[in-house]
Each structure stands twice: as structure tokens, then as C-alpha cells.
Amino acid sequence: MELILLLVVPVIGMVVSFLPKREYSFLVLSGINLGIAVEILNLVLRKGGIFALSNYLFADSLSVLLILIITALTFLAGIYSIPYLKLEEVEEKDKTRYFFLLNAFVFSMLLTAVSNNLGILWVGIEATTLSTAFLVSFYKNPSSIEAGWKYLILCSVGIAFALFGVVILFFSAASSLGYEADALNWTNLMKAASSGGINVNLAKLAFAFVLIGFGTKMGLAPMHTWLPDAHSQAPSPVSALLSGVLLNCAAASILRVGNVLGAAGEKEIVSNLLIFFGALSVILAGLFLLKQKDYKRMLAFSSMEHMGLIAMSSGFGGIGIFAAMFHILNHALTKTLLFMSAGNVLSSLHTREIEKVRGLFKVMPVTAFLFGLGTLAITGTPPFSIFSSEFLIITSGFLTHHLLATLTAMAGLIMVFSGLGLHVTKMLFGEPSFEGNREVPFLQLIVPLFLLIIVLISGVYICQPIEELLNDIQNNVLRFV
């Protein structure tokens, strides 16, 4: 029942987005969904997994991690959107479009998180593309429309590859599961793979297609080219959800399919591919970051780096799984903090160019404080939470003897730290490029401030339910990867 309610709430949100005070309705419904997510967390920790709709919907600890991130960040994005849209002087008809699409986006992400059936999961990922393409081009200027089209075309091509992978995976298990719709249920595929009931060669081919397809959506190199354009042109709350939430849904989808292949005894090929594309993404992100001129694109390439770390750490297996899941959570919180801080700068100064922003500490002191500390957090500086997960990732790489990939990632991390540090330092200090106090309203500051406190606390302390969740993912859900 809880899984169905989780999906019904954003559908109601799509309807009420046509009514007055839609922003407050969105906030209330997001709060309700966050409460449902907490209840699902309690159920999964007690029972190990819950099903709905004839087992087509399913939640285990990996699903719950995604659900918590989606609902919590959606609620915070709702709070932030109220002053943000007012400061951007968005008209009422455009607010209707914004909240309708935002609810559709949330519904499609939640659908991917709770889908047991890989066909439904694919539909959910494709639905995220359709809803967010219009959000990316929300402002209807030439740059945003171009970014929206680029995003739509590249991700649709990627998703087509993923569809081929899902179809091939279906046929790989058809001999044991039959040609029924539930043959694509992840739980059934895992049982078939564990008992030798799938064609391993077909499953390998399926994983290659899925990795390319969902890897495009995840932002892995070299399929990442849509990511900096889309993240830089979308409204800042949408950029935060694209980076902090959507990329994680694609990552989890890859791991689900990889886990089936791992259960069939082909762990090595999954591990090698994840490590290769992960390390490639980290090193390329570091190189691109050094020459960025747009601070929102800069943050987008940072997302590419962290997705690479998550893929690579998952490939390490063992404690690397725990580290990857912890990093998913840390990156989601920290990148949301940064995109909202960047949104404050853009709302006030109306430029995305790094060279045109100077002396933020003098014209926007609170935003500068949040942006500066958020940059330290995202680059893995202690005591922030990303330092903890990155330390675990590097440690797991050395423990599993993946020395080349680990050293490559470390080189990428150094470049990312240098690039982000150089660009953000220029923005924060020096003579102001704008006159007067340009600070945004308090409500637009409270959400990134709250997130900053959370990532600082979680750098030294993990609450027990989250620790149990991450341990269960490592020990029971992704044990074959």
C-alpha cells in the first residue's frame, strides 16, 4: 500500500498544479511523500523487502535509499522554489508548467526506484527524459532550448540502447522463466541467474547495452555530453534534482542489471566495465573542470566526476559497495547545496560566467559562505561527509588491488580540487564586480544552510537507520557486484 501511495501523491500533485497556490500544494504533498518514505524505511528494515501490484513494485534497501533521497530533496527543492520563482519573476502560467513537470519528474524517478520489473523501470527512466527536457528548456531562450533538444536526443538514443539490453536480458532468461511479463522482474531474474537459468552470453551482451544506455543518463564518459548543457540551463532547483537525484536512479538501474550477471557467476566483467568507465569519467571530468568558464557547467562536470567514483567503487565490490552507496547520499546532499547556492548567485547577479563574478563575500556574504564551504565539501575536504566516502572508495580500491584505476581516480580528484578551488576562489574574493548588497531573501538561504549542516554532521556521524540501510545493500542486495 505504501509503495502505491508513494506514486499516487505526485500524480495528485500534477492535478493540483493547475490550482492557485500550487507551490504550497507541492510543498505539502512533498512532505506527505517524505513521511511515506520514512514508513517504507521502517518496513524494509524490519521485513527485508516489500511488494505491491502483483510483485511489479518492490522495495529493498537500495530502493529505500533512492526513495529517501528523492523525497527529501524534492521537499527541500519545493521550499527553495518559492522564493526562487518569485525572485525570477516567473508568471503564474509558467509556475503551473513548472510544478506540473516537476511532479511528473518526481513520479518517474519514484517509479524507477520501486520498479521490480525492468521493463517498467525502463519506462520510468524514459519518462524522466520527457519531463525534464521541458524543464531544461523552461526559460525558452535559445541556449536553454538548444540544451533541451540536445538532452532529449542524446538521452533518447541512450535509452534506446538500454531497451535493447532489457529485451536481450528477457530472452536470456526465457528458457527458465518463460515468455511472461514477470520474467523481467528483477527478483525472478536473480533467482534464475543463481540457479544457472539464464544464457550467460546473452546476459553479457544485455549488460553492455544497459551500461551504455543508462550510463548515458548517469553521465558516464564518453556518454556525458548532454550533462553540462542541461544542468547549466535548467532552473537551479531542477539542476539540483537532475544532479543529486536523477543520476543516482540511472546508476541504481545499471547495478540492478549488473547484479543479475554477477549472480550468474560473471562478476568480473561487470566489475571491469564499471571500473573502466568510472575511472575514465573521473579523469575526464578533472580535465574539463580546469578550463570551465560557466560555474553551473563547472558543477555539472563535478557531478560527472562523482558518478565515475560511484561506478568505480561499485566495481570494487565488498566495502566498495558500502562506499558507493554512502557516496550517492553524500553527493546528493552536497550537490543540491551547491546548485542552490549557485542559483542564488545567478538570481541576484544574472550571469553564469565565472570571470564576471568577483568579490562575492562583499556583495553576497551568506551565499559566498555557503558556496565556499560547499565547494570544500564537494572536493572531499575533511570533515565533510564526501571526505569519508571518498576515503572509503580509495581504500577499497587499494584493498582489492585495483591500483591503476585507484591512482587514476586520485589524479582526477587532484585536478577537480584544483579546478574547483581556482574558479571558486576567484568568485569569492577580490574587488566586487557588482555594487551594493545583492544577498537573496532568507528563505532562499535556509535550505542550503540546512544541507551544509547535514553534510558536516554526516562527515563524523552516520545515524543508525542509514548505516543499517547501507550495510544491507552491501551484504544482501548488491552482494554479487
Side-chain angles (χ1 to χ4, degrees), residues 399-431:
L399 289 175
T400 53
H401 307 293
H402 292 96
L403 300 182
L404 180 59
T406 306
L407 292 173
T408 301
M410 290 176 70
L413 291 175
I414 292 170
M415 286 191 287
V416 168
F417 183 87
S418 302
L420 277 171
L422 177 64
H423 296 318
V424 175
T425 299
K426 288 180 180 178
M427 294 171 65
L428 298 181
F429 301 101
E431 286 301 313

Side-chain angles (χ1 to χ4, degrees), residues 206-243:
F207 180 71
F209 275 108
V210 166
L211 182 59
I212 293 170
F214 289 148
T216 302
K217 197 77 177 195
M218 185 180 172
L220 293 178
M223 297 85 71
H224 67 280
T225 50
W226 65 271
L227 190 146
D229 294 304
H231 288 206
S232 64
Q233 294 298 327
S236 293
V238 176
S239 298
L241 293 177
L242 283 171
S243 180

Side-chain angles (χ1 to χ4, degrees), residues 23 90 125 130 255 380 454 480:
E23 56 267 44
V90 174
I125 292 288
L130 297 176
L255 293 178
I454 295 298
F480 294 111

